[in-house]
Amino acid sequence: MIKQVSAVGALLLSLAASTSHAEEYLTGIEWQEPPIVTPGEKPSDAPSDAVVLFDGKDLSAWKGAEGWKLEDGAMVVGKEMIESKDAFGDCQLHIEWSAPTPAVGESQGRGNSGVFFGPYELQVLDSYDNKTYYDGQAASIYKQAPPLANAMKAPGDWNVYDIAWTAPRFKTDGSLESPAYITVFHNGVLVQNHFELLGNTPFSDPPSYNKHDVKQPIRLQDHGNPVKFRNIWVRETKPAVGKRTREPFRRDGDKETPITAAK
Ligand code: MG
């Protein structure tokens, strides 16, 4: 009986608390100040903490680019896939690309390239008036996820990918600890929304995860089509850092009430 009364009492107290504007909820976590990042003047400009992989001048940030060309501030796909000399884990990637003009070929043969995080491909393809399988068109995760929309610009125009990448993690025994996730905007249109990758993205095999370092190079595919790239920069991302210094509590003037004890 006493317990019932006290439960009703607690309910009344909590109702009173929920209508009080003087009481404040405090988390008990001390957060570190977020780093200051100076954005570029235009969305295509690298923010102050970005690693610039291509700014129109040279291909020095890339391995295997001997067969690629520099043309009017853009890099043009040549022989062989290239990869960044630096490797990246969780990151934000900005990259612009343009499909060849005039459009030549069809389906997967038209303006095909790809942006790879290690072995995982975000498809680059001329998907302007060019039908192919949907999980192989521009902004698909190859053979895993069609884009949520086709936001493709015409051949010769510049497309923009803004990507948030979460790298997969592996246990020491090689099994998967946590999968990769990707979010992609194509020309400002959300086309992949925190998609959980099933594994890598080969042409002839189902996806699988095979243990690798968290940090992987960014790779750009040679699929035999002279796709152009420009304005490539990447920012490694880290979770906000905070330390719990006490349990959550409410403060009302000088009175502090631990939330766990108030239950
Ligand atoms: Mg491709």
Side-chain angles (χ1 to χ4, degrees):
M1 192 62 198
I2 289 170
K3 270 189 180 165
Q4 281 175 351
V5 169
S6 108
V8 170
L11 177 65
L12 288 173
L13 271 175
S14 77
L15 281 173
S18 68
T19 54
S20 163
H21 295 291
E23 260 193 8
E24 182 185 7
Y25 157 66
L26 292 111
T27 64
I29 300 170
E30 273 183 18
W31 293 104
Q32 282 185 12
E33 183 180 2
I36 291 170
V37 174
T38 308
E41 279 187 29
K42 303 186 297 293
S44 57
D45 296 338
S48 58
D49 64 344
V51 174
V52 175
L53 294 181
F54 181 66
D55 64 0
K57 296 192 185 92
D58 62 63
L59 294 159
S60 60
W62 300 87
K63 280 189 232 173
E66 295 76 18
W68 287 45
K69 277 189 299 190
L70 199 58
E71 206 176 274
D72 300 327
M75 51 200 262
V76 187
V77 173
K79 284 260 178 295
E80 304 297 329
M81 173 178 263
I82 62 172
E83 66 177 42
S84 60
K85 290 177 182 170
D86 290 338
F88 304 94
D90 300 340
C91 63
Q92 170 189 357
L93 176 68
H94 175 98
I95 185 164
E96 302 177 18
W97 57 278
S98 175
T101 177
V104 176
E106 58 181 32
S107 185
Q108 292 290 302
R110 187 188 297 184
N112 195 336
S113 181
V115 177
F116 283 70
F117 297 83
Y120 313 99
E121 183 181 15
L122 167 63
Q123 177 70 300
V124 166
L125 191 81
D126 181 356
S127 285
Y128 189 87
D129 196 20
N130 176 35
K131 278 276 188 286
T132 189
Y133 43 95
Y134 301 134
D135 55 6
Q137 71 181 63
S140 65
I141 303 308
Y142 188 67
K143 290 195 175 168
Q144 294 188 30
L148 303 177
N150 181 347
M152 186 75 198
K153 291 195 179 178
D157 288 347
W158 285 98
N159 289 273
V160 181
Y161 280 166
D162 284 296
I163 305 158
W165 173 253
T166 303
R169 265 68 170 178
F170 296 89
K171 297 177 187 165
T172 47
D173 68 1
S175 62
L176 185 68
E177 183 179 326
S178 59
Y181 294 94
I182 193 167
T183 295
V184 183
F185 291 87
H186 183 187
N187 298 323
V189 176
L190 181 65
V191 288
Q192 298 289 345
N193 187 7
H194 199 60
F195 174 71
E196 179 182 323
L197 275 80
L198 306 169
N200 59 6
T201 54
F203 173 73
S204 50
D205 286 300
S208 65
Y209 276 111
N210 305 293
K211 185 173 189 254
H212 58 69
D213 291 341
V214 172
K215 293 193 179 199
Q216 293 289 301
I218 288 163
R219 302 154 76 208
L220 301 177
Q221 189 183 41
D222 164 28
H223 206 283
N225 304 140
V227 175
K228 295 177 182 174
F229 291 94
R230 71 176 187 188
N231 292 331
I232 310 173
W233 49 261
V234 56
R235 299 180 56 248
E236 287 206 88
T237 53
K238 292 184 198 140
V241 178
K243 198 172 83 182
R244 175 166 297 289
T245 56
R246 56 185 289 185
E247 291 305 307
F249 62 103
R250 290 197 178 87
R251 180 184 287 151
D252 187 359
D254 292 338
K255 193 177 145 220
E256 294 184 350
T257 316
I259 285 178
T260 42
K263 273 180 189 166

